[in-house]
Amino acid sequence: MQSNIIDTMLNKNKSLIEEAKQQIKEVYLEDERPWVVGYSGGKDSTVVSQIVFEALKELDPKQLHKKVFIISSDTLVETPLIIQSINTTLHRIQSKALELGLPIETHKVKPEPEQSFWANIIGKGYPSPNQQMRWCTDRMKIDPANKFVKDKVSKFGEVIMLLGVREDESATRANVINSHTIEGKRLMKHSTLTNAYVFAPIKKFKLDDVWEYLLNNTSPWGDDNTELYKLYADSNSTGECPLVIDKTVKESAGSCGNSRFGCWTCTVVSEDKALNGFIENGEEWMRPLLEFRNWLADIRDDRTRRMKYRMDGQIYFLNVQIEEIDEKLYAVLPKKGSRAKQVILIDQFNIVEENDLSNYLTEQNIDLSASGDDNILIKRNDGSFAQLGLGPFTLEARQEILRYLLEVQRDLEHPSDPSFELIQEEELRIIRRFWLEKGDWEDKMPDIYEEVMGFELDWDYDDQPLFNREQITDLEILCEKNNIDFKLVQKLIGIEKEYSGYKIKRGIYEEIEKALTQDYLHI
């Protein structure tokens, strides 16, 4: 009886595979449009890549008339074990394809260095991502993949993208797939990329079908699919982080923080089950990564580490509820991210009338861009209470994050790659440039790097700060004497430096106007 059940399951799986393979062959032979296969290293994208490989191998060599690009996204903060596995697999696929004469090319797509995770957090001061502000997906996954696709569209006119999406993954994913599907057609129109189409050959597969295929069919390029299964088990992962190529389906992709294929820095989820799973299953060397990730999540909403205005200088207020408990008034600050709900006696705040806020900040010499908590509770004109909203990480906080990250990198004991880097040299140079442009005239980057790592990098001379420490102090005193905002002077000088050397300084007046009209200057 049990044998009959197993036979039935295997036959069902075989028919699904054969149907998918036949569809792949038919769609491939229909036209000249090249294919882009999204490969994340996970189970679903592995199934698609493997079936495509097998289908092409079964075609007559004369029918192999167009390119198939297998691309994988490297956000530069991928879980170390996974990016190592992906690199190995891409190399094996490429080598085997060349050996067999298949028209397959493998590529990795990466974010532009200015848009990397560390360039945004440490360089620009972006708060670490959360569910409400998932800035990372667009910059680090969607944009690099779309750039690759657009390049192929410009060269070939149209492309077809093959993705390992399944209706069985979630009701949301099924709805997205169905909403993009035209009845009677195997291809879906891409919702945001012109002249790009989507083909989902395993959309009818269930989870059991995926594993049934992987564990009973040898990888054509020599990978061990049982190792893939083990990695899922070791990471306590139930899903994977897909190659996201469409902003309209970004939310349906969910967070990758609980996936073995996500970023080790992911702060969107409250707990990183994947890193925990790896550590519990013997990868103890990854514990410093988990500790750093948890710390980064903990400091996200720490008022002492955040500026009190947005990157464009805009001020905003966060409403605060006031409750009477045992005849005393308390300010109730709601839970946010990893920060617990706070109930604080109103007497512990400096209560400032909204109309008097500017004078108070001036009299108390409070720098809204610096570290530290102003501890202000603002009484609005309508009688409600609020706090100043939070902006980017302060420069001091960014330097703190960099120092901790470099310490982890210095001490990390990667079992197979002793030179493994958590942050790349190119990113460090970009971060340094961002800091100098925003007023880090003391040029802290080289000092921090040498203090932590014990040696210097060959920093570019052109990026040297405009002033030495004594000149900076003199300028600060001069600004204070004349009641001029020092940060504003830094910004204006930075704008002038940025445009120096250009004969036509198009845009400089707009930048100066933005600097002069920042909210925090005119509260």
Side-chain angles (χ1 to χ4, degrees), residues 204-236:
K204 296 298 182 184
F205 280 43
K206 307 291 186 186
L207 178 61
D208 287 345
D209 300 324
V210 168
W211 284 120
E212 184 70 39
Y213 169 74
L214 289 175
L215 296 177
N216 287 282
N217 290 270
T218 304
S219 166
W221 49 80
D223 273 356
D224 184 351
N225 289 336
T226 59
E227 286 297 315
L228 179 66
Y229 184 81
K230 183 177 183 297
L231 278 171
Y232 269 90
D234 285 353
S235 67
N236 295 333

Side-chain angles (χ1 to χ4, degrees), residues 307-325:
M307 296 165 67
K308 310 309 183 297
Y309 53 83
R310 293 191 170 113
M311 289 184 177
D312 60 0
Q314 180 186 357
I315 292 286
Y316 70 103
F317 293 136
L318 294 172
N319 291 329
V320 174
Q321 292 296 116
I322 303 298
E323 293 184 9
E324 184 176 343
I325 304 173

Side-chain angles (χ1 to χ4, degrees), residues 340-509:
K341 175 182 176 181
Q342 295 175 289
V343 181
I344 305 172
L345 264 174
I346 199 172
D347 295 344
Q348 295 181 21
F349 291 94
N350 298 314
I351 300 175
V352 181
E353 297 285 340
E354 184 176 356
N355 293 336
D356 292 334
L357 181 58
S358 179
N359 290 333
Y360 178 83
L361 295 174
T362 302
E363 291 169 1
Q364 299 298 318
N365 196 27
I366 293 174
D367 183 354
L368 297 182
S369 69
S371 294
D373 190 358
D374 50 72
N375 204 36
I376 297 172
L377 196 61
I378 302 158
K379 187 172 183 181
R380 307 289 301 275
N381 294 331
D382 61 6
S384 63
F385 287 84
Q387 284 184 305
L388 284 170
L390 299 178
F393 280 122
T394 64
L395 183 58
E396 295 87 348
R398 292 177 234 174
Q399 292 168 353
E400 180 187 14
I401 295 168
L402 174 64
R403 186 180 294 276
Y404 186 5
L405 179 64
L406 289 174
E407 288 171 353
V408 175
Q409 176 171 300
R410 179 195 64 199
D411 300 334
L412 194 68
E413 297 181 357
H414 194 296
S416 59
D417 186 0
S419 61
F420 181 79
E421 292 181 331
L422 299 177
I423 182 170
Q424 299 184 354
E425 185 175 319
E426 187 176 14
E427 293 176 282
L428 291 168
R429 297 186 187 282
I430 286 166
I431 290 167
R432 182 186 182 220
R433 174 163 59 82
F434 285 157
W435 287 3
L436 290 170
E437 288 173 357
K438 297 302 179 183
D440 177 28
W441 290 343
E442 294 185 55
D443 196 16
K444 289 285 190 181
M445 171 66 79
D447 292 342
I448 293 172
Y449 189 88
E450 185 179 2
E451 287 169 14
V452 176
M453 304 303 291
F455 60 92
E456 293 184 23
L457 286 180
D458 183 19
W459 303 102
D460 294 333
Y461 177 77
D462 289 344
D463 286 339
Q464 290 294 316
L466 289 171
F467 304 102
N468 61 37
R469 284 178 173 80
E470 288 184 7
Q471 292 170 323
I472 294 169
T473 301
D474 291 342
L475 186 57
E476 260 186 302
I477 293 171
L478 192 62
C479 287
E480 188 174 344
K481 180 180 177 181
N482 291 277
N483 197 28
I484 297 173
D485 185 80
F486 179 61
K487 298 286 184 184
L488 173 61
V489 173
Q490 284 182 301
K491 192 172 186 68
L492 291 172
I493 293 175
I495 291 170
E496 174 57 32
K497 183 192 176 189
E498 186 179 346
Y499 282 88
S500 65
Y502 291 95
K503 289 183 179 179
I504 301 175
K505 299 186 179 182
R506 187 175 290 111
I508 189 172
Y509 297 112

